[in-house]
Amino acid sequence: MNHKFILLCIFLILSCKSEPIKQDIGQTSLFKEEIPQDFLSFYDRFHSDADYQLSHVIFPLQQKDDSTLWQKDEWIMHKPFSTQGGEFTRKYTHLSGIVVENIQDQKRLFTVERRFSKSRDGYNLIYYSVRNAFENSDFEEEKKED
């Protein structure tokens, strides 16, 4: 459990290096074509205002890798996406009012999936999953023994 928390913290710290979100989104043709325009302003505010972010996350939030739920008291504010010099990519899919964001490293060893759902109050984060290819592997078991 501690290894997962540490990996999450490392990812969030690395993502703190902010790149202009509108420029990045504007370069993604899928985002322009399929993602609703009102999502852009929500997305910017979600990553810049801690109180706004907390009020737009539906807690308990699905799902940690161990199938437990994210709780409000353990939440770490999500920062704007950064490619980290091209190490990470981001893709969006829009499915009937749900915007799915996938962030992945170039080697496909680390993946973050977030799902945002639109309600009458705006968008809310309804799902957050961080997957690490080394979890439940022999490598992870060796680290636990150390």
Side-chain angles (χ1 to χ4, degrees):
M1 180 73 169
N2 286 338
H3 295 297
K4 292 177 186 178
F5 181 75
I6 291 169
L7 284 172
L8 175 63
C9 290
I10 290 170
F11 174 74
L12 291 173
I13 290 168
L14 290 175
S15 68
C16 289
K17 180 183 171 194
S18 177
E19 295 176 3
I21 189 72
K22 290 186 181 182
Q23 178 183 359
D24 185 64
I25 291 172
Q27 294 174 353
T28 306
S29 62
L30 175 65
F31 199 91
K32 283 183 179 176
E33 295 171 8
E34 296 186 21
I35 304 304
Q37 287 299 313
D38 60 344
F39 183 75
L40 286 173
S41 58
F42 160 78
Y43 193 88
D44 285 341
R45 187 167 179 200
F46 185 83
H47 292 95
S48 63
D49 182 334
D51 292 332
Y52 184 81
Q53 186 173 116
L54 279 174
S55 69
H56 284 83
V57 176
I58 305 299
F59 291 105
L61 180 65
Q62 296 287 332
Q63 144 175 3
K64 290 185 179 180
D65 284 336
D66 62 0
S67 298
T68 61
L69 305 176
W70 296 98
Q71 301 295 332
K72 189 173 188 173
D73 62 344
E74 65 184 8
W75 191 251
I76 299 171
M77 184 172 168
H78 290 197
K79 300 291 184 179
F81 171 77
S82 170
T83 65
Q84 294 296 309
E87 290 295 316
F88 290 90
T89 59
R90 172 177 58 185
K91 294 182 183 173
Y92 293 93
T93 308
H94 181 223
L95 307 165
S96 301
I98 296 177
V99 177
V100 180
E101 176 186 41
N102 284 292
I103 298 172
Q104 194 169 55
D105 72 311
Q106 293 297 329
K107 295 180 182 178
R108 299 177 187 234
L109 299 174
F110 183 78
T111 304
V112 173
E113 180 179 331
R114 297 191 300 177
R115 298 176 193 164
F116 300 90
S117 178
K118 186 169 185 179
S119 68
R120 58 191 156 117
D121 298 330
Y123 288 91
N124 294 293
L125 180 63
I126 60 169
Y127 179 88
Y128 173 56
S129 175
V130 178
R131 286 179 236 121
N132 176 358
F134 293 112
E135 289 178 355
N136 300 322
S137 69
D138 292 337
F139 178 75
E140 185 69 21
E141 291 302 318
E142 289 173 15
K143 283 177 49 181
K144 287 180 184 176
E145 292 174 4
D146 290 341

